[in-house]
Amino acid sequence: MIDCLLILRRVLLIPFVLLAVVSGSVAAATSAEYQSAPLTAHLISVQDGVPENTQTLSAGLHLQLNENWKTYWRSAGEVGIPPSVEWSGSENVADVEFMWPAPTRFTAFGIENFGYAGEVVFPLRITLEDPGAPVTLSAQVKLLVCSNVCVPEEFDLSLRLGRGNVLDSTSAGLIGTFSERVPEGAKTSGVSEANAFIDEDLTELIVSLRVDEPLQSPDVFPELGMGVALGKPDIRLGEEDRLLWARLPILSSNTDVTVAPSITVTDGENRAFTIIADRVAQGIAPPFELAATTPDMMELIWIAAIALLGGLILNVMPCVLPVLSIKVSSVLKHTDHDTTRVRFGFVAASAGIMTFMWGLALVLWALQTAGLSVGWGLQFQSPLFLAVMIAVLLVFSANLFGAFEFALPHGIQTRLAGAGGRNGYSADFFTGMFGAVMATPCSAPFLGTAVAFALAGRGLDILIVFSSLGFGLALPYLVIAAFPRLVAFMPKPGRWMLIIKSVMGVLLLATAVWLFWVLDGVAGLVSVIAVAALSGLAVLTLSLPNVQSQFRWSIAIASLVLAIAAGPLLQQSAPARSTPQLAMAWIAFDRSDIAKRVSAGEVVFVDVTADWCLTCKANKTLVIGSAPRDGVRAPTFGEVQG
């Protein structure tokens, strides 16, 4: 039906345009102009009068927009209002078909709008009640025009056509030009197939269509009904440019999108068509294969160097240096060992370190393959993660303050002490592995960049990062294996280590207090109290020397498990944090509200922040929250909490 109407429309316009060109008439039948700062508007007509027995007339609403001004298509995009015209005051008019030339895409501040700039004529096909009788067109026009600001325009236009058969060549040319830009129907434009897929969560629209003639630089303008806003499309071509595939994010929508998707495609200035796509239940495959972007060799070398340096630094941390000192002390106690034995002992310890690191890399690769995704920093929005980190930090800080000690089982201590025995290569191996295990709690301050790169990358990236980390941690062992006499120059445990332990304990405790504050913002005060109480019970139990070991550890582990579970289980909607009264008030973020405020001349600043982002908080306090200078208009703030 749509195709038939479009064909009829073209046929009816052709004779008017041809006659206008032949006649060269300069007679004009137009309404009085409406003028304002943004635009000039009037009604125009192909005919200067109504020919005898004529049932339809061709006319147009002519808009001339001044520089930098635009108005909107029937689907305005993310924001905007399409033009509307009321014809109730007209005489001898049975119906007015309002036609929409193909739109242009306008992108500002990341917001997509569709419409017209410069000049546009909306063709009108007027059906008469009394064929051949005089006509009065009375249009009450409402439209929104935008530049740096948006201005609503309301005006009346009136055009009187008496009897006559003279044509206006200028008006006919304008109407004919913009009529050619009105999108055709599917059959006329050679569309053989059109499908659309909308996911259950209403987050994306995928469009696929096939055409007879190849496309060159198409753009896609879908319509899903009132209240649905779509972002910029990702458009791909295939099958020698006869297949168009496009994916568009759905930015806002009704709770139920049931209308058949109407898809308008433009391809240059003179090709446009509109089709009703068939709704499909499954996703539509794109005409390309996804390939992950891989880092180049220099990036891999750089990140490997960072990981190696981080592993080397770990050797001087209080949680690792005692293990290295045990190994060195065991060599010093047995001075009768030859150089070969010392070398192979330290090589075995290095092998233990690398074995642990490769095992850890294998576990992480398996988790990544299973679909587990870890974002660096985003885990601070998880109450479970925060509860785990708080419990671990409190236990480690109490250990560093000397509240209790982690005593290894007697058998392992015996093996470590006997690491210098002639058949003690296995003990050397486990000494290195134990040092790698003890290094894991200390790794975060030095290895964040490398570990984050590994977790976000391929299996090869994980292997390279953790191999470099292990090599850096094993480097002192390998150096001693190459130069055994360096054992005498290794630092010995002493009182200086107690100072380092206390400093590290304070830092860990301060981190735990900060995480309590973050947990309060994520899960609420009840969760904070529960995690603190149960973690404190675990630390207190471990600190009691007179309790039997099996009961002490059982109670401590149970308390820690309950503390970790309390984080997510007791989560509640935390009240918004009170902020100091600023000269500029914050408002809730609303994407669709941005363009309206910018159009009204306001400066909009969007603050994407999170309680755990210390840099964000510092900027907000020292820069954003500072009072504006005299004479500077305060911007409008939209805050997005992460």
Side-chain angles (χ1 to χ4, degrees):
M1 184 64 179
I2 293 177
D3 293 325
C4 294
L5 290 175
L6 288 170
I7 294 173
L8 179 61
R9 182 187 307 157
R10 298 284 191 264
V11 171
L12 289 172
L13 285 172
I14 289 173
F16 293 127
V17 176
L18 291 177
L19 287 173
V21 173
V22 173
S23 66
S25 173
V26 295
T30 65
S31 69
E33 289 185 346
Y34 168 80
Q35 290 187 339
S36 65
L39 83 161
T40 300
H42 60 158
L43 293 173
I44 59 176
S45 173
V46 170
Q47 297 89 354
D48 193 39
V50 181
E52 185 177 358
N53 297 323
T54 297
Q55 189 170 359
T56 60
L57 298 174
S58 296
L61 173 60
H62 185 198
L63 302 181
Q64 292 175 297
L65 297 156
N66 293 331
E67 187 177 0
N68 298 325
W69 289 91
K70 64 178 182 291
T71 192
Y72 296 95
W73 187 48
R74 64 171 177 250
S75 176
E78 291 189 53
V79 297
I81 301 173
S84 64
V85 183
E86 176 63 44
W87 304 98
S88 58
S90 302
E91 298 177 3
N92 193 26
V93 174
D95 182 59
V96 177
E97 181 183 359
F98 193 95
M99 306 178 203
W100 300 87
T104 301
R105 182 182 299 274
F106 301 100
T107 302
F109 307 104
I111 297 173
E112 301 296 312
N113 296 125
F114 319 135
Y116 313 96
E119 182 180 37
V120 62
V121 174
F122 297 99
L124 307 172
R125 184 171 181 267
I126 302 164
T127 303
L128 306 183
E129 291 180 346
D130 183 7
V135 174
T136 299
L137 286 178
S138 179
Q140 296 83 49
V141 183
K142 294 182 180 180
L143 54 83
L144 184 69
V145 288
C146 292
S147 179
N148 295 326
V149 296
C150 285
V151 179
E153 296 275 4
E154 295 188 23
F155 50 88
D156 296 336
L157 299 175
S158 182
L159 173 61
R160 174 70 178 178
L161 296 177
R163 297 182 187 273
N165 56 7
V166 179
L167 301 179
D168 176 10
S169 60
T170 302
S171 296
L174 275 173
I175 295 172
T177 297
F178 283 92
S179 293
E180 290 298 320
R181 298 180 187 177
V182 174
E184 298 176 333
K187 293 182 181 180
T188 309
S189 58
V191 178
S192 59
E193 179 184 346
N195 296 314
F197 168 75
I198 302 175
D199 65 333
E200 294 182 357
D201 298 329
L202 299 179
T203 60
E204 69 175 10
L205 165 69
I206 299 178
V207 174
S208 175
L209 55 89
R210 286 179 170 84
V211 296
D212 297 338
E213 295 295 328
L215 297 162
Q216 297 180 3
S217 56
D219 202 351
V220 179
F221 303 90
E223 298 172 76
L224 298 179
M226 295 294 294
V228 180
L230 300 166
K232 191 170 186 178
D234 175 15
I235 300 174
R236 308 298 177 95
L237 296 177
E239 300 179 4
E240 298 182 347
D241 297 339
R242 288 178 171 84
L243 169 66
L244 183 148
W245 180 93
R247 177 168 50 205
L248 301 94
I250 299 178
L251 306 176
S252 63
S253 66
N254 300 317
T255 55
D256 185 19
V257 178
T258 57
V259 300
S262 175
I263 312 298
T264 296
V265 176
T266 63
D267 189 21
E269 187 173 306
N270 298 319
R271 186 181 184 185
F273 53 86
T274 298
I275 48 98
I276 302 299
D278 295 326
R279 190 90 170 257
V280 297
Q282 295 183 345
I284 305 172
F288 59 85
E289 294 183 359
L290 293 175
T293 302
T294 57
D296 58 28
M297 183 58 66
M298 289 305 299
E299 289 176 321
L300 286 175
I301 293 174
W302 173 248
I303 204 71
I306 294 176
L308 188 148
L309 179 61
L312 181 62
I313 293 175
L314 287 176
N315 284 285
V316 298
M317 296 299 293
C319 47
V320 181
L321 187 57
V323 180
L324 179 59
S325 299
I326 290 174
K327 177 59 186 168
V328 174
S329 298
S330 67
V331 175
L332 294 177
K333 290 178 182 178
H334 301 276
T335 55
D336 58 333
H337 285 169
D338 58 25
T339 301
T340 301
R341 174 65 189 83
V342 172
R343 283 176 173 170
F344 278 104
F346 277 92
V347 169
S350 301
I353 293 173
M354 297 304 299
T355 299
F356 173 79
M357 289 299 174
W358 285 332
L360 185 59
L362 180 62
V363 171
L364 292 174
W365 174 80
L367 293 174
Q368 185 188 68
T369 304
L372 181 65
S373 178
V374 180
W376 199 259
L378 294 181
Q379 62 268 30
F380 283 91
Q381 296 174 201
S382 168
L384 177 62
F385 173 82
L386 293 173
V388 171
M389 291 300 297
I390 289 171
V392 170
L393 289 173
L394 289 178
V395 170
F396 271 81
S397 62
N399 172 253
L400 291 174
F401 284 129
F404 57 87
E405 298 292 336
F406 289 115
L408 294 176
H410 182 72
I412 295 180
Q413 292 187 28
T414 302
R415 277 188 169 274
L416 289 175
R422 293 193 176 276
N423 297 317
Y425 291 135
S426 61
D428 295 325
F429 178 87
F430 285 107
T431 299
M433 182 176 287
F434 177 69
V437 173
M438 293 297 291
T440 53
C442 303
S443 61
F446 308 103
L447 300 172
T449 301
V451 173
F453 173 85
L455 293 178
R458 306 159 295 171
L460 177 62
D461 301 327
I462 295 177
L463 178 62
I464 291 175
V465 167
F466 281 89
S467 296
S468 302
L469 170 59
F471 183 72
L473 187 59
L475 192 57
Y477 295 85
L478 295 174
V479 170
I480 294 175
F483 306 100
R485 295 182 182 277
L486 291 178
V487 171
F489 299 97
M490 292 294 294
K492 309 300 188 300
R495 295 188 61 184
W496 62 273
M497 292 185 60
L498 297 177
I499 299 175
I500 293 181
K501 285 182 62 177
S502 299
V503 172
M504 291 296 297
V506 171
L507 294 177
L508 291 180
L509 184 60
T511 304
V513 172
W514 170 66
L515 287 178
F516 273 124
W517 183 78
V518 176
L519 181 63
D520 178 39
V522 172
L525 183 60
V526 175
S527 180
V528 170
I529 294 174
V531 173
L534 291 169
S535 300
L537 177 61
V539 171
L540 178 62
T541 304
L542 292 174
S543 303
L544 296 176
N546 297 327
V547 180
Q548 293 185 7
S549 177
Q550 57 182 357
F551 292 112
R552 183 168 68 248
W553 281 102
S554 298
I555 295 173
I557 292 174
S559 300
L560 290 175
V561 170
L562 291 175
I564 293 171
L569 291 179
L570 299 179
Q571 182 178 4
Q572 57 186 352
S573 298
R577 299 190 188 279
S578 60
T579 56
Q581 186 65 33
L582 302 176
M584 298 168 290
W586 291 92
I587 62 173
F589 173 79
D590 183 357
R591 179 187 177 91
S592 62
D593 192 44
I594 295 177
K596 298 176 184 177
R597 292 185 174 274
V598 172
S599 299
E602 298 182 22
V603 178
V604 178
F605 181 89
V606 179
D607 177 28
V608 181
T609 185
D611 285 340
W612 45 265
C613 179
L614 296 181
T615 304
C616 302
K617 293 299 179 183
N619 288 336
K620 188 172 179 178
T621 301
L622 300 176
V623 180
I624 301 173
S626 59
R629 298 188 303 271
D630 293 340
V632 178
R633 183 177 180 181
T636 297
F637 286 108
E639 185 173 24
V640 183
Q641 282 287 342

